[in-house]
Amino acid sequence: MAAICQAAYRRAALFCRSHSNYVRKMRYLNELKEDDSLCRQAQTSGTFYLFHNLSPFLQKDGKKYLIPQLSAAGALERSVIEAELKGSFTDLRRALFVVDEKDSPLLASAQALLRWHDSHQYCSKTGQPTQKNVAGSKRVCHASGVTYYPQMSPVVIILVSDGSHCLLARQPSFPQGMYTALSGFCDMGEAVEEAARREVAEEVGLEVESLWYSASQHWPFPSSCLMIACHALVRGQQSEISTNSLELEDARWFGLEEIMEGLKREPKSAKQDDGSFLPWFPPKQAIAHQLINEWVHQQTSRLTQVQ
């Protein structure tokens, strides 16, 4: 049966369309999470995202992929929904890269919330079933009184540079030819800076000299993660890579020209006649793409100043 995720964030956006005040919007969102009666009221005029086994539903309109804006939906068979709405349930990773930028974070949040509810149906203290509130913002064990809230795991993603090159790597599970920035989960009790330095040392055998923050992004793979993006600088004279083969298939330095060519390259166009693949990089919706773009701007600005 199709699982329906009530997108509280979308409902709030509809409700607050005439309210430009950010504070009022955030307070309304919080009320939806805590007030069951208000949330039920919002459901009568809200819109919905559809999921089946954690896969979101998409419609194709020409060359664009859209999320149907449904005012109501029932528990229908998957095939019936796909036939009636002229679309299909698809892998979330693919969906995030083909839908509009305003929808992709909502899809990621909705799937992460569904996954969390699916894996937290019982209390870890009593073993008794937990009950979710109407908004799905928490689960409660009435036997112990414990309230459980969705959690995110912090992950550092680091673009390493030696000043004139940037370092990108790939794992065996990546699509052929794709390279991206280094990343890893923060350990317990570890600051973001410590995690970034440790990951660079573990994965490529380099010591970070300086580090600065760029941005963050929610990423639902493999679970609900908060990607914390940083730039790291290593000494140019100490830039010999020692790859950890247990984690990486390859890691290497890329020059500015090669990076700029790779950013233009689509995955389908990366395959060469001999079967090998030219390097290509994550799409623009991924925070790794933002890090790479920032590095390109830094390098082009530096070259302009020199000239």
Side-chain angles (χ1 to χ4, degrees), residues 4-14 29 32 39 42-43 46-51 67 69 106-107 109-110 113 135:
I4 302 171
C5 178
Q6 294 139 11
Y9 296 99
R10 172 66 71 184
R11 291 195 297 272
L14 292 172
L29 276 172
L32 281 180
C39 191
Q43 288 175 1
T47 55
F48 299 82
Y49 287 149
L50 269 61
F51 285 79
I67 297 172
Q69 301 301 300
L106 289 174
L107 275 184
S109 299
L113 196 59

Side-chain angles (χ1 to χ4, degrees), residues 9-305:
Y9 296 99
R10 172 66 71 184
R11 291 195 297 272
L14 292 172
F15 178 87
C16 298
R17 191 167 290 166
S18 60
H19 300 75
S20 59
N21 188 295
Y22 176 79
V23 172
R24 292 179 64 185
K25 179 178 177 179
M26 291 302 104
R27 287 182 173 175
Y28 176 70
L29 276 172
N30 189 58
E31 285 185 80
L32 281 180
K33 295 178 183 178
E34 301 298 328
D35 189 329
D36 287 351
S37 61
L38 182 65
C39 191
R40 289 192 183 94
Q41 181 183 347
Q43 288 175 1
T44 62
S45 59
T47 55
F48 299 82
Y49 287 149
L50 269 61
F51 285 79
H52 181 274
N53 292 336
L54 301 179
S55 297
F57 184 87
L58 297 183
Q59 290 175 322
K60 189 171 184 180
D61 181 17
K63 294 184 178 180
K64 293 182 64 179
Y65 287 88
L66 307 172
I67 297 172
Q69 301 301 300
L70 305 175
S71 58
L76 301 176
E77 292 290 343
R78 171 177 176 166
S79 58
V80 174
I81 292 176
E82 291 181 327
E84 288 191 5
L85 298 181
K86 297 180 175 59
S88 62
F89 292 94
T90 187
D91 176 73
L92 177 65
R93 195 182 299 268
R94 177 172 178 263
L96 290 179
F97 295 135
V98 296
V99 299
D100 191 281
E101 288 183 9
K102 66 179 173 58
D103 284 317
S104 58
L106 289 174
L107 275 184
S109 299
Q111 198 246 37
L113 196 59
L114 285 172
R115 185 186 295 275
W116 180 80
H117 280 292
D118 186 56
S119 60
H120 287 76
Q121 296 184 36
Y122 295 91
C123 176
S124 60
K125 184 176 181 179
T126 65
Q128 296 298 310
T130 57
Q131 303 295 324
K132 73 176 182 67
N133 63 339
V134 176
S137 60
K138 60 186 177 183
R139 298 188 73 92
V140 178
C141 173
H142 295 292
S144 65
V146 175
T147 300
Y148 295 92
Y149 294 95
Q151 297 178 333
M152 290 194 298
S153 300
V155 175
V156 288
I157 178 166
I158 318 107
L159 187 68
V160 177
S161 174
D162 67 354
S164 58
H165 298 78
C166 71
L167 188 151
L168 298 175
R170 57 174 283 106
Q171 297 177 1
S173 60
F174 285 3
Q176 293 271 30
M178 193 190 87
Y179 283 78
T180 188
L182 303 178
S183 63
F185 286 92
C186 294
D187 282 345
M188 292 292 289
E190 192 174 49
V192 169
E193 295 83 358
E194 293 170 328
R197 288 185 165 91
R198 174 183 53 78
E199 283 294 333
V200 174
E202 286 180 357
E203 296 191 357
V204 293
L206 297 174
E207 188 171 345
V208 171
E209 186 176 59
S210 60
L211 184 77
W212 61 99
Y213 170 80
S214 170
S216 63
Q217 179 185 46
H218 174 245
W219 192 244
F221 307 104
S223 56
S224 188
C225 302
L226 178 64
M227 304 290 286
I228 304 165
C230 303
H231 290 275
L233 184 67
V234 298
R235 292 189 181 93
Q237 64 270 28
Q238 296 179 356
S239 58
E240 184 178 346
I241 300 171
S242 174
T243 306
N244 182 343
S245 59
L246 295 177
E247 297 195 34
L248 300 177
E249 180 180 82
D250 186 34
R252 64 185 183 90
W253 293 105
F254 289 81
L256 178 59
E257 185 175 338
E258 192 174 10
I259 288 290
M260 294 179 73
E261 287 298 317
L263 287 171
K264 300 174 186 176
R265 194 173 291 129
E266 295 289 337
K268 292 181 180 178
S269 65
K271 189 172 183 179
Q272 302 183 92
D273 294 338
D274 62 0
S276 62
F277 284 79
L278 293 169
W280 56 279
F281 311 128
K284 63 181 181 179
Q285 293 91 333
I287 201 163
H289 185 99
Q290 178 178 324
L291 282 172
I292 296 170
N293 255 336
E294 288 174 349
W295 182 83
V296 168
H297 291 317
Q298 292 166 9
Q299 294 299 306
T300 52
S301 297
R302 183 175 63 84
L303 290 174
T304 301
Q305 292 172 0

